Amino acid sequence: SILVPNLGNGHLVIDREQWGASELSKTLTAPLKHPIPYVIITHIGVQSKPCETVYKCSIKMRTIQDSAIAEKNLPDIQANFYVSDIK
């Protein structure tokens, strides 16, 4: 069983291991300095419905990662955090 941190009011944090991030990209992570001075929120650029379950969001995250690596020739996903509305 996977323990998913609950931040209250239904806000969950799903980490890379839980959504099935590529093993190769784990070596590219760098610690963030605290406190984080800015947070940028942007749209990922695709028309899609919000994830309805952790399972569906995990599939979406793997698709975003696969696209970044295969189509954009990036080493990993482009953001530190992604936000969705899990119902």
Side-chain angles (χ1 to χ4, degrees), residues 7-82:
L7 301 178
N9 293 329
H11 298 96
L12 306 174
V13 176
I14 313 298
D15 67 26
R16 294 175 60 86
E17 183 178 331
Q18 292 168 325
W19 60 259
S22 170
E23 293 291 328
L24 298 175
S25 60
K26 284 184 179 182
T27 60
L28 299 171
T29 60
L32 297 174
K33 294 179 181 179
H34 292 267
I36 299 168
Y38 301 99
V39 175
I40 298 172
I41 298 175
T42 184
H43 192 278
I44 61 172
V46 297
Q47 294 290 331
S48 64
K49 296 179 182 177
C51 307
E52 294 177 354
T53 66
V54 172
Y55 174 76
K56 288 182 180 181
C57 283
S58 296
I59 293 170
K60 187 173 283 192
M61 286 303 301
R62 287 190 299 275
T63 301
I64 291 168
Q65 186 182 45
D66 290 346
S67 173
I69 294 168
E71 297 172 18
K72 298 176 184 173
N73 204 27
L74 297 171
D76 201 351
I77 56 177
Q78 295 173 280
N80 293 313
F81 304 96
Y82 286 79

